[in-house]
Amino acid sequence: MDYMIRGNLKNRPIRFFVISAKDTIEKMRQIHEAMPNASACAGRSLMATALIGYTMKNDDDIVTTILNCDGEIGKVTCTANNKGQVKCDIINPKTNIYLNELGKLDVKKVVGNGTLRVIKDIGLREPYVGETDIVSGEIAQDYTYYFAMSEQTPSVVSLGVLVDKDKFDIMYAGGLIIQLLPGNTEEDIEYLEEKVSHLKYMTTLLSEGKTPEDIIKEIFNDEEIEITDKQDVVYFCNCSREKIEKVVIALGKKELEDIIATDHKITLKCHFCGKEYTLSEEELNNLLKEA
Ligand code: ZN
């Protein structure tokens, strides 16, 4: 079962979020029939999004992250709430396979240049929007840069997705975000830097059978860690016939009349979960009245 933990250090202004999400990322891969580089890219971003979602306070809060890039993958949109419900849309999941000099999936090759936008809808009149350039394309570094530049929060981000070489299914997926909170001193910064300097690759830790609790204990001393919450993580899409109807209405009167006249029905597929909704001529005529 996929889950996240969150907590802080008892005697330092440092907080952490750790996720293990193999089943969730595998579900994402299956829905999008994603190729390995796309699975790694979107999987990493989806886990980062889940962890950001976990930082939010209210049940209705939603975070959306958008990697908008000029590489093959095109665009990756992820959303999460604070209950571990996540979903993802990938413009082009059928990327070619590229390996880097270490023989690992070359994620930046399918990302290229672009921006990372983070939209937090936390119940205010306007959502909070932050955007930074994609500086690495390996995703974790891009989120680190985002936190530093847009939220002024020094952070350590590590994200890993291991894809089976032959079957392309997900073997391991996990990640963490560690953040320095306001009031941190130079000594806290040095302490954190020293602690994470020994941090292994996320996929290495997971392949050793480490849980999120084990991973945070790999970094910090047992007695300074305070785990305050644990949360299941699941790929979940909240699309519905009502929401699809709103999309159809938004097409406008003219477009709707054209569809009714030529196709007599319309089938729309949810980009996040692949579910198909077909609206009959009768249903379309009813929606036309609202358009
Ligand atoms: Zn859906």
Side-chain angles (χ1 to χ4, degrees):
M1 186 63 204
D2 294 346
Y3 69 95
M4 308 180 276
I5 57 166
R6 69 178 173 213
N8 50 271
L9 298 194
K10 288 170 186 166
N11 48 1
R12 290 181 191 274
I14 292 174
R15 68 175 184 174
F16 58 80
F17 303 84
V18 192
I19 184 170
S20 172
K22 178 197 163 209
D23 294 346
T24 302
I25 305 306
E26 172 62 14
K27 176 101 186 266
M28 178 205 81
R29 181 193 72 85
Q30 289 176 9
I31 286 168
H32 296 287
E33 296 174 10
M35 287 290 281
N37 294 66
S39 292
C41 172
R44 289 175 191 177
S45 197
L46 188 57
M47 290 189 291
T49 308
L51 292 173
I52 296 171
Y54 201 23
T55 69
M56 300 188 305
K57 290 188 180 67
N58 305 308
D59 286 354
D60 294 334
D61 294 349
I62 287 179
V63 59
T64 302
T65 66
I66 303 167
L67 282 167
N68 206 341
C69 52
D70 63 6
E72 275 174 45
I73 199 162
K75 190 174 177 182
V76 178
T77 306
C78 304
T79 78
N81 58 18
N82 73 353
K83 295 184 286 292
Q85 297 174 328
V86 300
K87 61 179 181 178
C88 171
D89 177 26
I90 310 169
I91 290 288
N92 176 31
K94 308 266 191 276
T95 48
N96 288 304
I97 295 177
Y98 304 102
L99 300 177
N100 62 24
E101 61 278 8
L102 297 171
K104 292 177 180 294
L105 290 170
D106 192 342
V107 171
K108 79 162 81 98
K109 180 87 178 164
V110 299
V111 172
N113 298 307
T115 55
L116 167 61
R117 177 180 284 221
V118 177
I119 304 154
K120 288 184 192 171
D121 192 343
I122 51 173
L124 305 175
R125 195 180 304 162
E126 295 286 329
Y128 165 86
V129 183
E131 185 177 284
T132 46
D133 286 337
I134 291 171
V135 289
S136 141
E138 290 291 329
I139 314 304
Q141 295 90 328
D142 301 303
Y143 277 94
T144 304
Y145 186 71
Y146 162 79
F147 284 126
M149 302 306 287
S150 194
E151 299 195 10
Q152 285 80 47
T153 306
S155 308
V156 175
V157 182
S158 176
L159 303 163
V161 175
L162 192 67
V163 182
D164 184 271
K165 282 192 177 67
D166 304 314
K167 292 185 289 179
F168 298 167
D169 58 347
I170 307 302
M171 298 173 73
Y172 303 105
L176 63 78
I177 297 174
I178 303 172
Q179 297 187 314
L180 281 158
L181 297 170
N184 64 78
T185 63
E186 197 60 39
E187 202 255 329
D188 292 322
I189 297 168
E190 283 169 17
Y191 183 80
L192 181 57
E193 281 175 354
E194 202 281 318
K195 286 293 182 188
V196 298
S197 64
H198 311 292
L199 187 60
K200 295 180 196 167
Y201 280 118
M202 188 53 62
T203 48
T204 303
L205 290 164
L206 294 165
S207 66
E208 290 169 358
K210 299 276 196 302
T211 64
E213 289 88 345
D214 296 332
I215 290 169
I216 207 69
K217 285 174 187 168
E218 281 266 317
I219 304 167
F220 301 111
N221 305 320
D222 272 18
E223 56 274 15
E224 66 181 338
I225 297 168
E226 183 169 36
I227 295 171
T228 54
D229 192 57
K230 184 175 170 178
Q231 172 66 59
D232 288 345
V233 176
V234 65
Y235 195 102
F236 175 80
C237 187
N238 58 349
C239 65
S240 65
R241 208 163 181 88
E242 289 70 37
K243 285 187 184 173
I244 292 291
E245 285 174 357
K246 281 189 187 137
V247 172
V248 171
I249 291 167
L251 291 174
K253 207 172 163 67
K254 171 83 177 62
E255 181 79 19
L256 260 174
E257 283 171 346
D258 282 353
I259 293 166
I260 294 167
T262 50
D263 300 326
H264 309 290
K265 64 180 168 65
I266 188 171
T267 298
L268 291 174
K269 190 174 176 178
C270 173
H271 293 304
F272 288 94
C273 70
K275 188 170 175 185
E276 288 188 350
Y277 295 85
T278 298
L279 302 182
S280 66
E281 182 158 11
E282 190 186 344
E283 286 173 295
L284 287 173
N285 275 316
N286 283 332
L287 295 178
L288 188 60
K289 292 169 198 159
E290 298 178 47

